[in-house]
Amino acid sequence: MADQNVPPRRPRDDRGWDGRQHHTSDAYGDHNTSAPYGYESPHPYQGGYPAEQYTDGYANPGHPAPAPRGPQWVGPEGLGRPAPTGGGLPTLDDGDEPGRKVGRRKAMVALGGTAAVVAGGAALAMTPQFRGLFSDDAAAGDATGSTVTDGTAARPSGQQPSTVRTYTEQNESYMGSRAGEALKKNAPVGGRTFSGPAAAAAETKVTVKTVLAKDPILHLARRATFGATPAVIADIKSQGIDGWIRSQLTPEKLEPSKAELKLAELPTQKLNVEQLRTQRDQLNERGAQPEREVVDATIARQIWSKRQLFEVMVDFWNDYLHVAADFDGGEVYRTSFDQDVIRKHALGSYPEMLVAANKHPALLIYLNQKDSSKDAINENLARENLELYSVGVDGGYQEGDVRQAAMLQTGRGVNDKGEYVLNPFNHYIGKVKILGFTNPNAFTLPNPNDEKAVKKVATAMDVAIDKYITYIALHPSTAKYVAQSLATRFVSDTPPKSLVDRLTKTYITNKGLIKPVLIALFSSSEFWAAVGQKVRRPMEYLVSTYRVLGVSPDPSPKHNNGDNKRTPYAQGLRQIQDKLRELGQYPMGQPTPDGYPDVYVAWTSAGTMVNGWNEAGEIAAGYRTTFTYTAPEKLVAKPPATAGAYVDALAQRLVNQKLTAREKNLVLGVAGVPATAKVDATLNGAITAVARAILASPQHHLR
């Protein structure tokens, strides 16, 4: 038996949120040819600040700077220092007008520094370039050095993230840095389970340091959705915490939003695998790209769906059981994988999801399983099933287990019609033992011309493989792995062991059903105590910005579609996707099988953070006519007559709470007026800049 197509370890680009880590390739067309937005911002302070303005060379086409190996540590003392006025800073506005007490650029820089605070000032993990936004002091330690923080060099927290491949383990590696250690000090410790989420919310006291309001309704809206909107908050208040969570856990009972109905405008999303294969040339001529439209559709649902918790879980599984959209075959199979594997089982059974994934052409092609036979064994899928999708690196398996699993899974592949098939004549026959699972795997091969007998043997082989996949999906190490990942997504970058242990037990007791695990999580004191302990990643930041600004999926009356074959809605979604690609995170975007990291330390880039703020300004200004935007001067129904009161009202509308006194003064500096100044509905022409400044605040970055 020979090995074939077993690639070497793939060191990941762990630079984080720099917008250049995901190179795309596509058999249908060039992803990089999409026009960004097709207009020039009429107001200099609204956006259009390319990352090339940074001295670190971020996103400089053709002249990439050496990849920084991880973020750099900046202590809380950096916040108290004045923003520099020297060179090297991004152009954040059209300059500081004479007579301003606080320049717009200085104000935005200072406010943005606060925006990056985790838990109200407990820790910052920034690149050296971001440190430059706050201080002329160039000294900075290495946040992701290999210093062991848990006493065990072999543990992921003692390793560089680039050497750690699993979704959970790369999180642990990042959190093993000094920055991660600082975050741990502000995380809730210990806890208990209550009779239900509402009881837990009522009885839990929030003791962590955070600038976020400690309102449990706001906390739930931030964590269980892609952004707290007035509608979501009203729904939670009217249904109650328990009622709202129950409704979110039965998404099939929630009516589709207008935006979801408009997904019919994405033509490839209505096609099955066979149609995508046979209509390939026609789709190419129309410029339709199925692997990009599935990403467009996911973005639309994240922004506008009423089934928010379901979409959060879809995103979670897209990182955990990851198949990239941009792989050779994604144009045909990724939409089906989204519908038939991830979405079908997102709130159901993880063992059933993993079994379905292992029979889906997308995963079989993505990890070369279709090329694995008894005479040429490929270990890719067998390894990732253990390392990424079930027990994890420390789940107790050995290299021999990987080999045995690869032998058991031989014969699975994709036929000429693009369908899953098991060829019994390519399947290894013989006893296997994998991580405590044993199977005789003994079969008598039939006459190849006896179709009925061949099908019967293939089915029996399938059953044997499915039993193994179910076994590892229910393994105690997998239970802990899933529990740790869910707690990291919903609670904090350093979830308490007490919670992980209880969720692990719930997973085992309920045989891998996800809803009971989520109910246990929301019924825990640890969840409700963790206000402000998560920072939005680039995609989460941009999606939440669209949500809080009340953007509508309908085109603006000013829109002129011309001879464009794609609808305004389809164009608008693609524009958002292009921006997310620029920011370095988009649905199904990680090119390697490990998915995106889910801890803040992994997502630190000055260039992309400023890019995100600029994009928030563009959205607030509403120049893109593919969607309808709420005019910034209409965000507050009855604008107060004085600047200070107006800023308070606008902050309440955008981030559901008032800013701190320091932040409010910084925002007033952006407006260039004192708190007592009389203003009109446009805040004397500064309303868009002020809205953008509030959206750069920690109250919008934290969740």
Side-chain angles (χ1 to χ4, degrees):
M1 293 179 293
D3 292 335
Q4 71 173 24
N5 298 325
V6 181
R9 290 284 181 167
R10 296 169 294 248
R12 290 192 318 279
D13 181 353
D14 62 328
R15 286 172 291 161
W17 188 10
D18 70 351
R20 292 195 298 116
Q21 60 182 332
H22 306 302
H23 302 288
T24 61
S25 61
D26 171 25
Y28 278 71
D30 184 358
H31 289 169
N32 299 319
T33 59
S34 301
Y37 297 99
Y39 75 95
E40 293 183 1
S41 177
H43 298 295
Y45 63 80
Q46 299 293 0
Y49 315 113
E52 289 88 0
Q53 292 175 7
Y54 284 97
T55 57
D56 65 348
Y58 277 131
N60 190 352
H63 300 85
R69 301 307 299 170
Q72 299 294 311
W73 168 246
V74 179
E77 70 278 5
L79 289 173
R81 298 172 181 171
T85 57
L89 292 173
T91 304
L92 289 168
D93 54 61
D94 53 347
D96 294 339
E97 293 91 340
R100 280 186 182 273
K101 293 184 178 180
V102 181
R104 279 184 177 170
R105 189 173 80 175
K106 290 183 180 181
M108 280 295 293
V109 167
L111 187 66
T114 308
V117 178
V118 176
L124 285 177
M126 298 294 169
T127 57
Q129 293 75 23
F130 200 92
R131 184 181 178 91
L133 297 179
F134 303 99
S135 169
D136 290 327
D137 181 3
D142 180 6
T144 55
S146 58
T147 302
V148 178
T149 58
D150 66 357
T152 308
R155 290 291 306 149
S157 59
Q159 302 174 30
Q160 286 282 0
S162 60
T163 68
V164 182
R165 296 184 59 220
T166 66
Y167 174 54
T168 298
E169 303 301 335
Q170 69 177 335
N171 289 340
E172 183 178 346
S173 178
Y174 279 113
M175 296 313 295
S177 65
R178 289 194 294 276
E181 284 299 296
L183 298 182
K184 293 176 186 178
K185 295 178 182 178
N186 194 44
V189 178
R192 53 164 291 195
T193 299
F194 289 84
S195 59
E203 295 295 327
T204 301
K205 182 179 180 181
V206 180
T207 59
V208 296
K209 297 177 181 179
T210 179
V211 297
L212 289 188
K214 298 177 180 180
D215 182 344
I217 290 178
L218 293 178
H219 178 59
L220 178 61
R222 295 187 192 105
R223 295 295 175 86
T225 78
F226 277 98
T229 65
V232 167
I233 294 169
D235 285 345
I236 298 175
K237 288 180 178 178
S238 64
Q239 298 175 37
I241 288 174
D242 287 348
W244 185 82
I245 291 176
R246 278 196 302 270
S247 69
Q248 288 291 306
L249 289 175
T250 53
E252 67 278 3
K253 296 181 180 180
L254 298 175
E255 63 181 10
S257 65
K258 182 177 184 179
E260 288 175 292
L261 295 175
K262 285 173 68 67
L263 290 177
E265 298 178 23
L266 303 180
T268 66
Q269 295 303 287
K270 297 177 290 185
L271 304 179
N272 59 32
V273 168
E274 181 181 0
Q275 291 169 326
L276 288 172
R277 284 166 56 89
T278 58
Q279 298 179 28
R280 182 177 308 209
D281 292 339
Q282 299 95 307
L283 293 172
N284 273 334
E285 291 174 2
R286 295 167 57 185
Q289 297 170 300
E291 76 283 14
R292 297 207 70 187
E293 287 196 351
V294 68
V295 176
D296 294 336
T298 301
I299 293 168
R301 293 183 177 109
Q302 290 176 350
I303 297 174
W304 289 294
S305 177
K306 298 177 183 178
R307 304 158 181 165
Q308 280 290 297
L309 180 55
F310 177 75
E311 292 302 324
V312 170
M313 287 304 298
V314 166
D315 183 59
F316 169 82
W317 291 120
N318 271 328
D319 277 335
Y320 190 96
L321 184 52
H322 179 65
V323 173
D326 298 329
F327 79 97
D328 187 11
E331 70 281 358
V332 172
Y333 299 106
R334 193 52 180 85
T335 298
S336 173
F337 190 83
D338 181 64
Q339 297 170 353
D340 301 329
V341 177
I342 299 296
R343 292 182 176 276
K344 182 177 180 179
H345 300 287
L347 291 175
S349 162
Y350 180 61
E352 291 181 10
M353 178 188 287
L354 190 58
V355 167
N358 271 267
K359 291 182 177 180
H360 197 283
L363 187 62
L364 298 177
I365 295 172
Y366 183 51
L367 293 178
N368 307 113
Q369 182 63 30
K370 67 180 181 62
D371 301 320
S372 186
S373 70
K374 62 184 179 182
D375 297 320
I377 296 176
N378 187 300
E379 295 183 352
N380 290 356
L381 180 56
R383 181 176 302 281
E384 307 302 17
N385 271 333
L386 289 166
E387 184 175 322
L388 293 176
Y389 307 147
S390 64
V391 299
V393 170
D394 296 321
Y397 72 89
Q398 305 294 327
E399 283 300 307
D401 295 305
V402 175
R403 183 68 174 182
Q404 293 276 300
M407 294 163 68
L408 177 62
Q409 293 174 242
T410 52
R412 285 190 160 183
V414 182
N415 65 20
D416 293 338
K417 297 179 180 179
E419 302 167 334
Y420 165 73
V421 66
L422 189 149
N423 184 341
F425 302 100
N426 287 335
H427 180 75
Y428 166 82
I429 295 175
K431 184 178 179 180
V432 293
K433 184 177 181 180
I434 312 155
L435 201 65
F437 171 86
T438 60
N439 192 286
N441 191 37
F443 304 97
T444 300
L445 292 176
N447 184 328
N449 297 320
D450 188 343
E451 293 184 7
K452 185 176 180 180
V454 170
K455 183 176 181 181
K456 183 177 180 180
V457 172
T459 300
M461 291 175 174
D462 250 340
V463 170
I465 300 172
D466 287 350
K467 285 181 179 178
Y468 160 67
I469 298 298
T470 301
Y471 173 84
I472 60 173
L474 291 174
H475 194 279
S477 294
T478 303
K480 181 180 178 182
Y481 194 176
V482 173
Q484 178 80 27
S485 300
L486 284 169
T488 301
R489 173 61 60 100
F490 284 97
V491 178
S492 78
D493 290 359
T494 57
K497 182 179 182 297
S498 58
L499 175 62
V500 174
D501 289 345
R502 296 200 309 275
L503 296 183
T504 300
K505 183 177 180 180
T506 301
Y507 181 98
I508 294 172
T509 301
N510 290 277
K511 300 186 184 303
L513 292 176
I514 298 304
K515 286 184 182 180
V517 179
L518 289 175
I519 292 172
L521 188 152
F522 291 129
S523 299
S524 72
S525 60
E526 291 95 334
F527 172 79
W528 298 98
V531 176
Q533 299 305 295
K534 292 293 292 183
V535 180
R536 286 182 170 129
R537 297 178 295 175
M539 181 179 74
E540 295 162 348
Y541 176 85
L542 191 60
V543 168
S544 66
T545 300
Y546 271 86
R547 286 175 58 77
V548 302
L549 287 174
V551 178
S552 164
D554 293 320
S556 165
K558 300 178 182 178
H559 181 74
N560 180 4
N561 212 47
D563 59 357
N564 197 309
K565 297 179 181 179
R566 307 181 74 228
T567 68
Y569 183 53
Q571 295 174 58
L573 292 175
R574 186 60 52 83
Q575 290 169 0
I576 299 175
Q577 181 184 157
D578 289 341
K579 176 55 68 172
L580 290 175
R581 286 173 178 262
E582 183 181 327
L583 295 177
Q585 186 196 13
Y586 58 96
M588 303 161 249
Q590 180 82 328
T592 50
D594 46 6
Y596 291 115
D598 199 9
V599 293
Y600 168 61
V601 183
W603 297 96
T604 51
S605 161
T608 307
M609 182 168 283
V610 173
N611 195 341
W613 299 341
N614 291 336
E615 181 64 8
E618 298 289 357
I619 300 168
Y623 293 116
R624 297 184 199 115
T625 58
T626 53
F627 298 135
T628 299
Y629 301 80
T630 301
E633 62 269 20
K634 295 183 178 179
L635 288 169
V636 175
K638 296 180 179 179
T642 60
Y646 200 158
V647 168
D648 287 338
L650 190 58
Q652 190 68 44
R653 168 62 182 81
L654 295 178
V655 296
N656 299 293
Q657 65 181 86
K658 292 182 179 180
L659 304 178
T660 65
R662 176 178 179 272
E663 292 160 354
K664 181 178 177 180
N665 287 334
L666 289 170
V667 172
L668 288 169
V670 171
V673 294
T676 56
K678 296 290 184 180
V679 293
D680 59 16
T682 70
L683 231 165
N684 294 354
I687 184 63
T688 303
V690 167
R692 186 186 73 158
I694 293 173
L695 293 171
S697 72
Q699 287 81 350
H700 188 57
H701 274 276
L702 296 173
R703 66 175 180 88

